[in-house]
Amino acid sequence: MAFAFGLSACAGPSGEITPPAPAERPARAWSAAALADLRTTLETAPAQGFAAETRTIDALDRLDQESAHVAEAASALDGLADETFTRLAMQFAMGAVDPTRVDPEWRFARPAPPDVAALRASVARGASPATLLEALLPSAPEYSALVDELAQLKTAPHATINAGSREARIDAVRANLERWRWLPRTLPARRIDVLVPFFELRLRDGGAPVVTHPVIVGARRTPSPSFGAAINSITLNPTWTPPSSIVNNELLPRFRRDPGAAAADDFDVLDSAGEIIDPALVDWQIRPFPYTLRQRAGAGNALGRLRFNLPNPYAIYLHDTPSRGLFARTDRALSHGCIRVAQPEALAAAVLADPTWTAATLQAAIDTQETQAIQVATPLQIYILYLTASPDASGAIAYADDIYRRDAPLVRALDGARDQVATLDRAETECASLAR
């Protein structure tokens, strides 16, 4: 009695049994080589400060095995690879965390998103996913130095650093790698960086040695924001028109207690027509206060003898101070948000880059007591940066106190936490209403 074979075999013309043709592997858009390259990028992402991608790697491996036989798995693998590549491209190019979630004072616009469609087309033509993605990361030497530091911290013998310090430094490096991913990819070779937690200004000029100046930055209750601007002029012997917050919360209560303090501190009182009136005739208790206070130029002016003008919407300026003894302090988070700088005459001469204006000629002009504005022929970019780990003059990574407590929320966000940092109410800075 003859039996018919099922799908496993069939009879040929001569009656012999032949096995079926092997099933074709389901088609995949991602080649084995490209997928392996993407997997390697996921494995090495923590070296850039990102969180480990264990679950994504496991999912790719499982779908890779199943896709050899199941068409649905092949389609799912392509979808997951596309999604992962797109996510990594966005994170490498713009950072993994939205700055507004973790730093209410970070005011830089995020870098532009990458052209993911063009990148995926390059992968389809055989380009290396890892190479394409790595090109999206910052190329600044400071970023590379932080990557090297992270690798050393993770591999250094435990005897060389205690566990608590190691973890704190790892967190600081990860936070600052992310901040660099938030920054513009191209920074001018000649520029000023103000590193707020380090209380330090760095004047960079290509390959020349970096010139540093101590600075005083925003107090913890009135932090200095992070942003970029351009210094376009310098005012010698500036006047100061304090903002309403300082007028109402500090000056008026003091002048009410001591009516003679306004004149003693060189404040003029201006009416609505701009006319100066006698401070002795002012009712310091009236609210709302109908006058404008303006401090005359001079040695006691809150802005000192010199102000660097960098137009910005945050009312932040770089300026001298009559209280230069404060630069001797270790913790210099003392201002209402503006940046006070030591040796301002030398810095002004460097910013102007004009042989007419040396530190000596600037001092001579200041000594005339006349208010004078000097235009900067080529405006100089300045970046106010909240960075708690950064290379020092020797290239070694230095660490600063996280004065505004921004690192921990950022690291939690990098690790997938959903913590939100409420935007603090911005107090006005001492520079918010400056006389021009």
Side-chain angles (χ1 to χ4, degrees):
M1 185 176 181
F3 293 91
F5 286 87
L7 296 176
S8 61
C10 60
S14 59
E16 73 277 9
I17 303 302
T18 59
E24 291 186 3
R25 184 185 182 97
R28 288 184 356 197
W30 278 77
S31 69
L35 192 64
D37 206 38
L38 180 64
R39 189 184 190 283
T40 298
T41 302
L42 285 168
E43 290 178 329
T44 57
Q48 304 290 334
F50 294 107
E53 293 274 1
T54 306
R55 293 178 62 183
T56 304
I57 293 171
D58 289 346
L60 286 172
D61 288 346
R62 176 177 55 80
L63 289 172
D64 189 24
Q65 292 178 355
E66 295 176 359
S67 68
H69 309 289
V70 181
E72 290 82 358
S75 177
L77 176 62
D78 284 336
L80 180 58
D82 283 343
E83 176 187 321
T84 301
F85 181 78
T86 298
R87 176 171 55 81
L88 290 177
M90 299 293 285
Q91 292 178 348
F92 282 31
M94 304 174 65
V97 178
D98 181 350
T100 62
R101 285 181 52 202
V102 293
D103 188 343
E105 300 297 340
W106 190 272
R107 307 299 175 83
F108 288 95
R110 292 184 81 178
D115 186 343
V116 175
L119 292 171
R120 285 169 57 179
S122 295
V123 172
R125 292 193 297 269
S128 159
T131 300
L132 294 171
L133 291 170
E134 288 168 7
L136 301 174
L137 291 168
S139 59
E142 294 90 341
Y143 184 87
S144 298
L146 288 169
V147 171
D148 292 343
E149 176 79 353
L150 184 58
Q152 291 175 19
L153 288 169
K154 289 181 175 180
T155 59
H158 287 273
T160 63
I161 182 172
N162 69 62
S165 295
R166 180 194 300 269
E167 290 306 313
R169 290 187 176 187
I170 287 174
D171 284 351
V173 171
R174 292 183 64 203
N176 288 282
L177 283 167
E178 179 71 354
R179 292 184 180 112
W180 272 99
R181 290 189 287 266
W182 293 342
L183 286 170
R185 285 297 179 267
T186 303
L187 299 178
R190 176 171 161 77
R191 68 180 191 272
I192 286 175
D193 294 339
V194 176
L195 274 60
V196 172
F198 285 89
F199 310 119
E200 184 174 84
L201 178 151
R202 298 178 180 179
L203 174 60
R204 303 180 181 278
D205 195 354
V210 175
V211 178
T212 63
H213 291 254
V215 296
I216 293 168
V217 303
R220 289 159 179 79
R221 291 179 59 85
T222 53
S224 299
S226 297
F227 68 98
I231 300 174
N232 61 10
S233 66
I234 295 172
T235 301
L236 309 182
N237 297 308
T239 61
W240 177 47
T241 303
S244 59
S245 62
I246 295 178
V247 170
N248 292 326
N249 298 329
E250 299 179 30
L251 296 178
L252 292 183
R254 182 156 64 89
F255 296 164
R256 185 169 59 249
R257 293 190 302 270
D258 179 8
D265 289 348
D266 295 325
F267 277 95
D268 288 327
V269 182
L270 286 71
D271 63 17
S272 58
E275 298 295 326
I276 296 175
I277 63 175
D278 185 349
L281 303 178
V282 173
D283 179 0
W284 297 107
Q285 300 192 54
I286 191 171
R287 296 292 184 277
F289 190 65
Y291 306 110
T292 297
L293 296 179
R294 183 178 66 199
Q295 190 177 35
R296 294 187 292 276
N301 186 278
L303 304 182
R305 293 290 201 163
L306 195 152
R307 184 184 74 218
F308 298 81
N309 303 311
L310 42 138
N312 64 86
Y314 318 115
I316 297 297
Y317 286 80
L318 181 68
H319 62 83
D320 182 21
T321 175
S323 304
R324 295 188 176 186
L326 294 177
F327 290 112
R329 294 191 183 184
T330 301
D331 185 335
R332 296 193 292 275
L334 304 170
S335 81
H336 288 84
C338 280
I339 311 297
R340 308 174 196 168
V341 61
Q343 299 100 43
E345 298 86 1
L347 180 60
V351 169
L352 291 167
D354 180 344
T356 303
W357 292 109
T358 64
T361 56
L362 284 166
Q363 186 59 58
I366 289 171
D367 290 343
T368 67
Q369 310 295 322
E370 297 294 326
T371 299
Q372 178 180 358
I374 306 170
Q375 297 301 310
V376 179
T378 302
L380 181 62
Q381 290 296 125
I382 179 170
Y383 299 89
I384 316 297
L385 302 168
Y386 192 80
L387 298 174
T388 56
S390 183
D392 62 17
S394 71
I397 297 298
Y399 295 86
D401 182 32
D402 181 14
I403 56 174
Y404 300 154
R405 300 296 178 257
R406 300 275 166 75
D407 283 357
L410 176 48
V411 171
R412 287 197 299 269
L414 279 170
D415 287 336
R418 298 303 178 205
D419 297 70
Q420 298 288 330
V421 174
T423 300
L424 303 176
D425 290 334
R426 282 287 294 153
E428 292 181 89
T429 74
E430 63 262 47
C431 308
S433 301
L434 294 174
R436 299 296 179 185

